[in-house]
Amino acid sequence: MHTVAMHSQIPVPWWRRGAFYQVYIRSFADGNGDGTGDIAGIRSRLPKLASLSVDAIWINPWYPSPLNDGGYDVTDYVDINPLYGNLDEAKALIAEATDHGIKVMVDLVPNHTSSAHRWFGEALAASPGSPERDRYVFRDGTGPDGGLPPNNWRSVFGGSTWTRVPDGQRYLHLFDPSQPDLNWENPTVRDAFHDILRFWLDLGACGFRVDVAHGLAKDQTFPDIDHDADDADETDQDRVLARGAHPHWDRDDVHDIIRGWRTVLDEYPDTVMVAEAWVANWDRLARYLRADEFHQVFDFDFLEADWDASQMRHAIVTSLDGAASVGAVPTWVLSNHDVVRHATRYALPPGTRSKTWLLDGDRNDIDDALGLRRARAAALLMLALPGSIYLYQGEELGLPEVYDLPVEVLDDPVWTRSGHTEKGRDGCWVPIPWTDDAPSAGFGSVEPWLPQPPGWSAFATASNTDPSSTLDLYRRALELRRIHMTKDEDLEWLDLGADVVAFHRGSGVACVVNMSTSEVPLPAGEVLVASGPITDGKLATDCSAWILV
Ligand code: NOJ
C-alpha cells in the first residue's frame, strides 16, 4: 500500500490534489476576431471550463513577445502582449475566473529573455565586461583569432548555443538565438525576478508554472560536453545527469534560486509553483519538490510511458515513492504543448518514437480509433491517481496531433533550427474547435493563425451532442474525482493480471485499466464511470472503469 503520512489536523492545500487545465492562449479561443486566441476568448469560455470541474488554469506565456518561440521569448515580464489583451483584461479574467471557482496560474520564463528585451538591447550597446552584459552570459570566442565558440554546447533547438555579436563576443542561448540565457549568478537578475513574482501575485495569480527550471545554473568554467559519448550511448549522459554533473542541466546550485522564489510565494497564502524539469530520475526530481522548493513537478515519466501495463505501473510506483521521499505527491500529465498529443502517441505501434514519426513515419501505421480509445482510458487512469493532475487543452475533446500540417505553415523554431530534421510542435497547437456551425469551428470569426484540418469541427460536434463523448467522460470523471479521489492519498494495487493496471483507492473506489488483448472481469460493485463497453461485468480491451466496491 502506498500511503503518504499526513497529519490529520493540518488541512490539505488545494493544489496538492488539484485539477489544472493548460490554456495555450493563442490557440484556445479568439475573442477579438484577429485569428489568434486571447484573454477575451478565455473569458468567454470560463463557463465551459467551470463545467469541467477544474481548480485552476495555467496560461502559457502571455507577455509581450515577438513570438519566435510561441511567447517563451519575453520582452516584458510585467505586461500583456497586445495581441492577447492588456493588464486590465488580465485582472478582469482573474476576477471572473475566481467567481467561477477557478484560479489563474502564470507561466514564468526565467532561463532566457527575448533578444528584443530592453536588457539585451542594453547589453549589446554596452561593452564587454559591463554590468549590462553581465545580466546575460557573454564570453569571448576561442581559437587563434577568437573565431570559435567558447565551447561545444548544443542548443535544444539545434546548432551551437553561442551566437556572435559584432564586437566578437558570443552570448549563450540554450534554445533559439532569439532567447539569450540570463545570468543567474547576477543578483540584479535574481532581484528582478522576485519583483516579477510579486507583481503577478499582487494581481491575484495563484502561482507559476516555471519554464526550464532545471536549466538556470551553469558550470561557470563552461567546459566542453563529450557529445561523442552522448551520441554513442545515451546512458552515459544519463549517468552524468544523475550525478548532477552536467554543465548546464539540473545542477545542484539551481536549488538556491528556487528557494529564493519559494520565500516570496510563502508570503502569499495558497499559492503554488510547478516545475518543468527534465532530469535523469526521481532521485534528482524529488529535490525540486522539497518542502522549501516547488509545490509540484510535472511527472514526465508517466507521460512518456508506453501503453503497456508494466511500464505504466513502474512509472506510477517510481513517482509515488519518489514524491513520498520528500513528503509530496506526484503531478500527473499526459500531454502538453511540447509533446505529440497522447491520442496520437497511443495510436502508433509500440516503440515508435512519435517525434521522429511526425517527420517521415509511415502514415499507415496509425490507428486513430485505437489511439482515442486508449486516450480515454488513460484519462481515467490519471484522474484516479493520488496527487494533482494537469490537462492540456483539447484532450477533453479527444483531439489528435495534426501531423500533416503543410511545412510552410510551421511556426516552431525547431523546424528551421534542426535543418528540417525535426518537425516540431505545431501539430498540438492547432486552434481548438468549439462548434460546427461557425467559421474556424467556433475558435473565432476569421481564419486562425494555424490552419485547422478538414473535419476538425467534428470533435466539437461529438462533444456537444453525444452523451458518450470524450468531453462528457472528462466532465463526469473530474466531478467524481472531487468526490472520491481527492479525499486521501492511498493506493493499493489489485492483481487482475499482468496486462491490467488496477488499484484501489482508500476512499473505496477501484480503478481498472485493461491494457490486455481480451476482456477482463471487473471487481463486484457499482460502475461509476467507464471509458468503453462493459459486457456481463467484463471490461473491453483498451478501456478503463471506476468501480465503487
Ligand atoms: C519549455 C517550454 O515548454 C517550451 O515550449 C519552450 O520552447 C522552451 N521551454 C524554451 O522556453
Side-chain angles (χ1 to χ4, degrees):
M1 161 111 86
H2 277 92
T3 310
V4 178
M6 295 289 297
H7 301 291
S8 51
Q9 67 274 28
I10 302 176
V12 179
W14 70 273
W15 44 263
R16 191 165 164 114
R17 298 167 187 183
F20 293 69
Y21 182 101
Q22 180 187 351
V23 173
Y24 189 70
I25 182 166
R26 60 179 177 162
S27 301
F28 184 67
D30 172 13
N32 68 358
D34 64 358
T36 297
D38 46 33
I39 295 179
I42 305 176
R43 287 168 72 185
S44 73
R45 300 294 177 184
L46 281 172
K48 284 254 184 187
L49 290 170
S51 76
L52 262 183
S53 308
V54 293
D55 301 297
I57 52 175
W58 146 35
I59 303 178
N60 284 99
W62 56 0
Y63 314 101
S65 160
L67 298 179
N68 277 338
D69 181 23
Y72 285 95
D73 45 331
V74 179
T75 57
D76 184 352
Y77 289 87
V78 290
D79 204 352
I80 297 285
N81 190 330
L83 199 58
Y84 302 145
N86 56 39
L87 278 173
D88 284 337
E89 288 182 73
K91 279 186 216 155
L93 166 68
I94 294 173
E96 288 163 19
T98 307
D99 291 345
H100 281 96
I102 298 174
K103 297 172 193 287
V104 175
M105 174 183 266
V106 174
D107 206 320
L108 188 76
V109 189
N111 183 64
H112 41 263
T113 67
S114 161
S115 52
H117 191 286
R118 177 176 59 82
W119 276 4
F120 196 67
E122 289 170 2
L124 290 184
S127 47
S130 60
E132 288 82 1
R133 287 227 169 156
D134 192 49
R135 291 184 186 127
Y136 294 90
V137 185
F138 278 86
R139 289 291 179 278
D140 291 331
T142 54
D145 54 358
L148 297 171
N151 64 27
N152 69 350
W153 294 2
R154 289 180 189 163
S155 144
V156 175
F157 292 161
S160 167
T161 52
W162 298 95
T163 290
R164 196 170 185 275
V165 299
D167 60 33
Q169 278 213 308
R170 297 173 192 251
Y171 66 90
L172 178 76
H173 50 86
L174 292 185
F175 294 87
D176 193 69
S178 63
Q179 294 166 298
D181 277 46
L182 285 165
N183 173 19
W184 277 88
E185 304 291 314
N186 184 335
T188 328
V189 171
R190 293 194 186 215
D191 292 349
F193 270 83
H194 285 195
D195 292 345
I196 293 164
L197 294 176
R198 287 204 173 84
F199 176 86
W200 292 106
L201 294 170
D202 286 339
L203 213 80
C206 72
F208 305 90
R209 175 265 186 191
V210 179
D211 191 55
V212 204
H214 59 306
L216 309 181
K218 277 95 186 176
D219 183 335
Q220 293 301 303
T221 67
F222 294 90
D224 272 351
I225 293 174
D226 184 358
H227 292 303
D228 288 341
D230 289 357
D231 294 343
D233 177 3
E234 281 204 358
T235 54
D236 260 8
Q237 189 179 14
D238 289 348
R239 262 182 241 123
V240 174
L241 282 167
R243 288 202 316 273
H246 193 277
H248 61 74
W249 294 135
D250 187 27
R251 297 183 60 76
D252 289 343
D253 27 346
V254 83
H255 296 283
D256 185 42
I257 302 169
I258 297 164
R259 285 192 200 101
W261 297 338
R262 180 62 185 254
T263 316
V264 176
L265 263 83
D266 284 346
E267 294 166 15
Y268 296 79
D270 284 337
T271 52
V272 54
M273 201 167 55
V274 59
E276 183 216 23
W278 296 87
V279 300
N281 53 40
W282 253 98
D283 179 38
R284 298 294 306 173
L285 197 57
R287 296 164 194 242
Y288 292 75
L289 256 188
R290 288 177 289 199
D292 57 351
E293 299 197 30
F294 282 99
H295 306 77
Q296 302 174 327
V297 294
F298 291 122
D299 190 331
F300 296 128
D301 288 347
F302 178 68
L303 180 152
E304 288 185 328
D306 282 345
W307 189 253
D308 170 273
S310 66
Q311 273 193 46
M312 281 286 185
R313 258 193 306 265
H314 183 258
I316 294 169
V317 169
T318 318
S319 304
L320 288 169
D321 289 347
S325 72
V326 284
V329 277
T331 294
W332 311 101
V333 57
L334 288 165
S335 279
N336 64 34
H337 66 290
D338 287 332
V339 300
V340 173
R341 283 185 178 275
H342 59 280
T344 297
R345 295 200 313 265
Y346 296 148
L348 293 168
T352 309
R353 295 189 60 192
S354 51
K355 284 204 168 175
T356 320
W357 180 88
L358 274 189
L359 181 70
D360 52 13
D362 185 347
R363 299 314 191 218
N364 295 318
D365 277 351
I366 193 157
D367 182 341
D368 289 324
L370 177 71
L372 179 58
R373 204 159 60 239
R374 290 176 172 174
R376 290 166 55 99
L380 288 194
L381 167 60
M382 175 170 80
L383 296 177
L385 291 169
S388 51
I389 61 103
Y390 278 70
L391 308 175
Y392 178 48
Q393 69 180 32
E395 70 171 79
E396 76 280 15
L397 306 177
L399 290 188
E401 184 84 0
V402 183
Y403 53 79
D404 48 5
L405 281 170
V407 294
E408 311 80 72
V409 304
L410 299 182
D411 188 67
D412 190 341
V414 166
W415 172 241
T416 327
R417 292 281 299 165
S418 71
H420 301 175
T421 59
E422 263 191 67
K423 205 164 176 191
R425 300 159 290 180
D426 298 75
C428 66
W429 299 341
V430 173
I432 296 295
W434 293 95
T435 59
D436 63 356
D437 55 359
S440 68
F443 169 71
S445 51
V446 299
E447 273 301 298
W449 70 278
L450 199 58
Q452 297 163 313
W456 203 230
S457 60
F459 290 97
T461 320
S463 306
N464 295 334
T465 55
D466 176 1
S468 64
S469 70
T470 302
L471 180 59
D472 195 66
L473 178 74
Y474 269 78
R475 280 206 186 115
R476 189 156 163 66
L478 281 154
E479 203 179 311
L480 286 165
R481 180 178 181 274
R482 277 191 174 164
I483 302 168
H484 296 284
M485 304 302 197
T486 55
K487 281 192 192 140
D488 64 88
E489 291 173 349
D490 296 344
L491 179 151
E492 192 178 348
W493 292 101
L494 298 174
D495 185 1
L496 299 186
D499 296 323
V500 182
V501 176
F503 53 86
H504 188 257
R505 291 291 306 273
S507 50
V509 178
C511 171
V512 179
V513 189
N514 183 6
M515 298 187 180
S516 78
T517 49
S518 48
E519 293 179 320
V520 68
L522 288 171
E526 179 198 342
V527 177
L528 293 175
V529 60
S531 71
I534 297 173
T535 318
D536 298 331
K538 291 185 187 146
L539 179 66
T541 185
D542 293 319
C543 295
S544 295
W546 292 0
I547 320 287
L548 190 57
V549 289

